[in-house]
Amino acid sequence: MKNNIYRSAAQVTAFSTVEKALSFVYRIILTRIIGAEGIGIYQICLTVFAVFLTVASSGVPVTVSRLMAKSNAKNDLNGKHSAVTAGVVCTLAITVPIALILFIGRNAFGFLFSDERCVQIFIILLPGLVITSVYAVIRGSFWGNKQFLPYSVIELLEDALMVGAGIWLIWGVTDPLEGARNATIAVLISYVFSFVASLFWYFKKGGKFVNPKKQLKPLISSAAPITAMRTATSLLNSTVSVLMPALLISACGYGNSEALATYGVVMGMAVPLLFAPSALIGSIAVVVAPELSENYYRKREKAVRYDVEKTVKASMFIATVLIPILFVLGNAVSVFLFDNEFCGELVQRCSFIVLPLCVAMITNTVLNSMNCEKRTLLYFCIGAGAMIISVLFLTRYLGVYSYGLGLALSNIICATLNLRLLRKKCPGINYIKYALHSILVIVASCLFGWLFNGIISNYVAPGWQILICTPLILGFTIGMLYCLEMVSANPFKKLFARKSK
């Protein structure tokens, strides 16, 4: 069974890595063609859209997956179909009225955006609110059935279609507003594809819609706290998208275009680099969550403890490997990809956020799989409060770095409280020694990379810096991890081992 987990995690990670690489390349192309201002408009629209999408469906896919795992533990096939149907009913009941209200009253919702030009672009995304919420439920059914290959393929094709359509639509565009609008149309096209493809596969594999009454109450009870937390996340991002440009103008003396461009650099360039590990964390979460839920409901305490400890350590490992690269090569990567030195400065100074970010993300998933949604919501709200305070009161003194500080405080608070709760839920899990060793390796690798890069940066271009330094930093980091017995070859042996007959 553990071999299957390794294979599934590797499969999802491989597809997700390609998908994120496509998105990243697309982000570079967008930046080059429509500029920082266009990216700022595009990002604001997607951020506000994410708030409504989160309200409608964010907690449902995870809950559908968990209810299906619970039904698996009871061998209840009808319960699985009922969970999916309940999810679709709930999301449609929310998204259809929201979409209609936003469309009819579009002229009254300009206050949602820091730039009025965003309203006409946002309206393009409204049909996607309904169809994407349904796709999210079907995606949750894939997780619950452990059908990771179709999920991965659909996600990759969705992203590839968005990239292809987006490049075709923005090519030759010079106006930032037109570029942002055309890029948004490409997003809607990709939503339609994933909706159609997921429904086709669901019904092809025997899925059906049945009476949802059996699962409505448990779905709503479990999904509500998760939805509230993720809605709060989207609201937080949306609030920052309004506050940050406004504060840069009022407190720091920026012009409107300059403030939007600066916000575009932060959210459209630096943050995607800092959140790069989320693809790997998401892959682990997708595979582990159904298995963890099923073990939890079957009361397999030893298996639950094993899954939790290995998952937390995996998130720390990912952060340990990536932080030195971001710290040392953040500027080179930003100049090479975006031709923007300010982005590189942001990435380097904020790179250490990645460790608490990875731990907070994975522990949220683990705790939600163990029916702790209300506690994770409370912890998130505490962290979000720290974020808002930082942006409101420190932007005057720190500029956009107030967001970086707020992001760090928010994730440190969430990660610390989540780990504390996990120790109560799973007595005996051991991660403290691993965490301390991770910090030691990060510091040593950053110092090694910084010294080496300082020597060669005066002689080679950014592209060559990346090619030369990346394997050396990785090799040094992995070597230290191996010496401290924090990594072994066993998972790779299991990954490629033949299935027992």
Side-chain angles (χ1 to χ4, degrees), residues 181-200:
R181 181 174 60 248
N182 291 352
T184 303
I185 292 172
V187 173
L188 180 61
I189 292 171
S190 69
Y191 286 166
V192 173
F193 166 79
S194 57
F195 169 75
V196 174
S198 63
L199 281 178
F200 171 79

Side-chain angles (χ1 to χ4, degrees), residues 307-316 362-363 419 422 431:
D307 288 340
V308 170
E309 186 171 315
K310 291 298 180 183
T311 302
V312 171
K313 288 181 178 179
S315 70
M316 294 179 181
I362 201 65
T363 51
L419 288 172
L422 274 177
Y431 59 81

Side-chain angles (χ1 to χ4, degrees), residues 145-277:
N145 284 322
K146 301 179 184 178
Q147 295 177 348
F148 300 115
L149 182 59
Y151 153 73
S152 300
V153 170
I154 291 173
E155 289 279 301
L156 177 59
L157 291 178
E158 175 190 344
D159 218 56
L161 182 61
M162 181 189 70
V163 171
I167 293 173
W168 180 62
L169 289 169
I170 68 171
W171 198 260
V173 171
T174 57
D175 179 61
L177 182 62
E178 183 182 357
R181 181 174 60 248
N182 291 352
T184 303
I185 292 172
V187 173
L188 180 61
I189 292 171
S190 69
Y191 286 166
V192 173
F193 166 79
S194 57
F195 169 75
V196 174
S198 63
L199 281 178
F200 171 79
W201 186 264
Y202 176 73
F203 290 118
K204 184 177 184 296
K205 288 299 179 179
K208 56 184 178 179
F209 294 145
V210 299
N211 191 329
K213 184 177 180 180
K214 179 179 180 180
Q215 297 282 23
L216 270 176
K217 185 176 180 179
L219 182 130
I220 293 171
S221 176
S222 182
I226 300 175
T227 298
M229 184 178 72
R230 297 188 178 180
T231 300
T233 302
S234 293
L235 283 171
L236 180 63
N237 293 333
S238 184
T239 300
V240 170
S241 75
V242 174
L243 284 177
M244 184 59 71
L247 288 170
L248 289 174
I249 293 170
S250 63
C252 302
Y254 286 47
N256 185 63
S257 294
E258 185 184 6
L260 273 177
T262 301
Y263 175 79
V265 170
V266 175
M267 302 304 294
M269 300 180 197
V271 168
L273 282 173
L274 292 171
F275 276 69

Side-chain angles (χ1 to χ4, degrees), residues 428-480:
I429 62 169
N430 182 19
Y431 59 81
I432 295 178
K433 181 180 177 181
Y434 195 95
L436 293 174
H437 282 174
S438 295
I439 294 171
L440 173 64
V441 173
I442 288 169
V443 173
S445 297
C446 286
L447 181 60
F448 167 79
W450 177 70
L451 291 172
F452 186 83
N453 187 57
I455 296 171
I456 69 168
S457 60
N458 294 322
Y459 304 101
V460 298
W464 284 107
Q465 284 179 249
I466 297 167
L467 288 174
I468 295 170
C469 289
T470 299
L472 288 174
I473 296 171
L474 280 174
F476 184 88
T477 304
I478 297 298
M480 283 203 67

Side-chain angles (χ1 to χ4, degrees), residues 244 265-267 269-277 319 322-331 334 341-358 387 390 398-409 411-412 442 446:
M244 184 59 71
V265 170
V266 175
M267 302 304 294
M269 300 180 197
V271 168
L273 282 173
L274 292 171
F275 276 69
L322 292 180
I323 287 174
I325 295 174
L326 291 172
F327 174 76
V328 175
L329 297 172
N331 188 64
S334 299
E341 292 186 2
F342 179 53
C343 173
E345 181 184 304
L346 286 166
V347 171
Q348 285 183 315
R349 294 184 178 182
C350 299
S351 58
F352 299 102
I353 294 172
V354 171
L355 180 58
L357 171 68
C358 287
M387 162 74 82
S390 178
L398 302 178
V400 292
Y401 285 104
S402 65
Y403 173 77
L405 178 60
L407 191 63
L409 292 173
N411 283 286
I412 288 171
I442 288 169
C446 286

Side-chain angles (χ1 to χ4, degrees), residues 367-387:
L367 287 169
N368 288 341
S369 299
M370 299 168 67
N371 207 21
C372 295
E373 298 92 347
K374 293 179 181 178
R375 296 292 289 275
T376 56
L377 171 61
L378 173 63
Y379 298 160
F380 169 81
C381 290
I382 297 172
M387 162 74 82

Side-chain angles (χ1 to χ4, degrees), residues 55-95:
V55 170
S57 63
S58 64
V60 176
V62 175
T63 305
V64 166
S65 173
R66 187 162 68 79
L67 290 176
M68 292 179 73
K70 187 175 182 180
S71 296
N72 276 333
K74 297 179 179 180
N75 297 315
D76 182 7
L77 180 61
N78 190 67
K80 293 168 64 176
H81 295 320
S82 180
V84 177
T85 309
V88 172
V89 169
C90 287
T91 56
L92 288 178
I94 298 172
T95 55

